[in-house]
Amino acid sequence: MPDSTITTLDAQYIAPTYARFPVTFVRGQDAFLFDDAGRRYIDMGSGIAVSVLGYANPAWEEAVCTQAHTLSHVSNLYFTQPQTLLAQHLCERSGMKRAFFGNSGAEANECAIKTARKYSADLHGENTRPVIVTLENSFHGRTLATLAATGQETFHHHFGPFPKGFAYVPPNDLFALTAMLESQPVCAVMLETVQGEGGVEPLDPAYLNAVRAMTLEKDILLIIDEVQTGNGRTGKLFSYQHFDWLPDIVTTAKGLAGGLPMGVCLLGEKVMNTLSAGSHGSTFGGNPICAAAALAVQQQLTDDLLAEVQKKGAYITEELTALPQVQNVSGMGLMLGVACTRDPKELVLALLARGVVCLTAKHKLRLLPPLTIGWEELAQAVTIIKEEIAK
Ligand SMILES: Cc1ncc(COP(=O)(O)O)c(C=O)c1O
């Protein structure tokens, strides 16, 4: 159990929006976390897909410390080297043309929503095509607009009224999407290729290909929310790179800066000039320390590492699907959801007690280990997970 002073102070002073697990982490090294009693855990959650290089990665640490010594912040009124170099790196690897930096996934999606509306207003007139279509069971963030974009009713309770101009269709249903695009003034379709918070549910590749073709035909923008799937998580830098087309807008955050808060909205050719000076902004967005950290992350997400991510994902999937208690393992790369006979919340608690940190997503156990996790600790974690599932 964690130090009671911290849990008491936490209960007294922290807004009670989080149901915390009974552990206080004080340190991390590679794919291991250590609690306040010095106990070691294997991390299979990466702080919800954030710590892609694990903890205390030497190049990341060096980049952050050097930048903190050199220049921590000046705002976006001035040029800064790390931000520009990061934008160049991300554009070259994503096929996008320009980057707008924010501090989170929700902010990256806010930028995407604003860009889509402005693109349409510039071409077709103010407010003539305001609607953004998203999918049921999606998750796009917790700000009011991104909550409105989120196609899950449970997140909408208590917080209305929401910004207008969002419509939802069931995932993998082309007829529903066609009908929506024909009946509503739509400027963009926004989706996750693998619905992460929705239970690690990958969309059907044929559906994704058809959505791209249909949106191109109607000059409707395709926004891919890569907040969770990006930064190597699925075994490609971005998950749409498993396909042979480009989106119009890509958003990402979480693993982008490997543990520092950063989000980015990457703008493709059609929308590269849509935002103009003063039309959008962020005080901290693209902050030099976060940008230096992100560059250190991106430089380590090599093709070799991404190939390893796919191999490790295949290994976990093969091991777990062999269990009779496992109904299926969904997802791609090191973003996996395990549907099994044990209650996921209770299973995560049992695993924590055995020194393995995992997550849940809806009715599933969710695994999002650091992309750099070693084979030995991965095998140890998988053995413990199998033992617990089989109980
Ligand atoms: C797909 C997706 N989009 C957006 C978000 C929101 O990101 P953030 O919590 O950084 O605002 C999340 C967070 O889980 C996510 O998974």
Side-chain angles (χ1 to χ4, degrees):
M1 288 304 282
D3 173 1
S4 63
T5 324
I6 288 297
T7 53
T8 309
L9 287 174
D10 191 287
Q12 193 174 349
Y13 292 114
I14 303 279
T17 60
Y18 304 107
R20 300 203 200 274
F21 286 100
V23 61
T24 303
F25 289 119
V26 295
R27 191 169 76 80
Q29 181 65 56
D30 304 323
F32 297 106
L33 285 165
F34 297 84
D35 70 11
D36 53 359
R39 180 158 182 234
R40 196 180 83 163
Y41 299 75
I42 304 173
D43 183 19
M44 294 292 283
S46 303
I48 323 182
V50 168
S51 310
V52 286
L53 305 177
Y55 305 90
N57 173 267
W60 184 90
E61 206 179 295
E62 165 75 21
V64 171
C65 294
T66 305
Q67 192 58 48
H69 277 301
T70 315
L71 178 71
S72 54
H73 176 85
V74 281
S75 88
N76 281 305
L77 296 176
Y78 313 98
F79 297 103
T80 54
Q81 289 161 347
Q83 183 181 137
T84 310
L85 297 178
L86 176 63
Q88 179 192 15
H89 185 104
L90 290 171
C91 287
E92 284 175 1
R93 288 187 78 184
S94 65
M96 298 293 106
K97 299 292 179 196
R98 289 200 167 134
F100 175 86
F101 291 102
N103 311 286
S104 65
E107 281 180 54
N109 285 338
E110 288 273 349
C111 178
I113 292 164
K114 286 177 75 173
T115 304
R117 295 235 173 103
K118 184 164 184 300
Y119 171 78
S120 202
D122 289 348
L123 271 179
H124 303 280
E126 199 72 25
N127 277 324
T128 49
R129 295 203 328 180
V131 175
I132 297 184
V133 176
T134 66
L135 300 185
E136 289 170 9
N137 198 43
S138 59
F139 186 83
H140 297 295
R142 302 269 191 172
T143 60
L144 284 172
T146 57
L147 265 185
T150 292
Q152 296 191 59
E153 211 27 59
T154 49
F155 291 104
H156 294 173
H157 297 148
H158 318 302
F159 299 119
F162 289 100
K164 293 199 208 72
F166 293 93
Y168 318 97
V169 289
N172 295 322
D173 185 341
L174 265 184
F175 289 111
L177 182 64
T178 310
M180 183 65 82
L181 298 187
E182 278 166 8
S183 62
Q184 294 289 319
V186 176
C187 62
V189 173
M190 174 153 90
L191 52 81
E192 305 149 86
T193 59
V194 183
Q195 296 187 318
E197 301 304 305
V200 198
E201 301 289 355
L203 296 185
D204 180 356
Y207 173 78
L208 284 168
N209 288 334
V211 173
R212 177 65 292 195
M214 197 187 286
T215 48
L216 274 177
E217 190 193 300
K218 296 181 189 303
D219 192 23
I220 288 170
L221 300 173
L222 178 60
I223 305 168
I224 303 287
D225 178 341
E226 297 263 7
V227 169
Q228 194 161 149
T229 50
N231 309 296
R233 182 56 53 192
T234 68
K236 297 274 184 189
L237 189 62
F238 294 103
S239 67
Y240 65 82
Q241 293 171 330
H242 291 282
F243 302 87
D244 58 5
W245 41 258
L246 286 177
D248 298 300
I249 302 179
V250 178
T251 59
T252 195
K254 286 193 183 283
L256 176 61
L260 287 180
M262 178 172 246
V264 70
C265 178
L266 296 168
L267 307 167
E269 192 144 19
K270 272 191 185 173
V271 291
M272 62 184 282
N273 294 316
T274 298
L275 297 175
S276 51
S279 62
H280 197 39
S282 162
T283 299
F284 286 117
N287 164 282
I289 300 179
C290 297
L295 263 174
V297 170
Q298 301 302 315
Q299 279 156 2
Q300 291 182 67
L301 298 180
T302 58
D303 288 347
D304 286 351
L305 184 124
L306 297 174
E308 279 280 291
V309 168
Q310 299 200 18
K311 271 194 220 151
K312 286 172 184 165
Y315 160 75
I316 300 174
T317 306
E318 197 182 312
E319 288 289 315
L320 296 185
T321 40
L323 290 179
Q325 295 85 352
V326 169
Q327 282 108 34
N328 82 314
V329 179
S330 61
M332 293 165 92
L334 288 174
M335 177 175 180
L336 297 171
V338 185
C340 66
T341 45
R342 266 188 94 170
D343 171 67
K345 187 83 196 284
E346 186 254 330
L347 178 58
V348 167
L349 278 167
L351 288 165
L352 192 66
R354 296 206 47 199
V356 181
V357 180
C358 297
L359 302 162
T360 61
K362 289 215 156 160
H363 59 289
K364 293 185 184 171
L365 175 73
R366 177 166 44 156
L367 306 176
L368 300 165
L371 307 182
T372 51
I373 189 169
W375 280 99
E376 201 181 317
E377 46 272 27
L378 182 59
Q380 274 171 27
V382 167
T383 303
I384 296 170
I385 292 169
K386 280 168 70 178
E387 284 169 10
E388 283 302 321
I389 290 178
K391 268 187 187 165

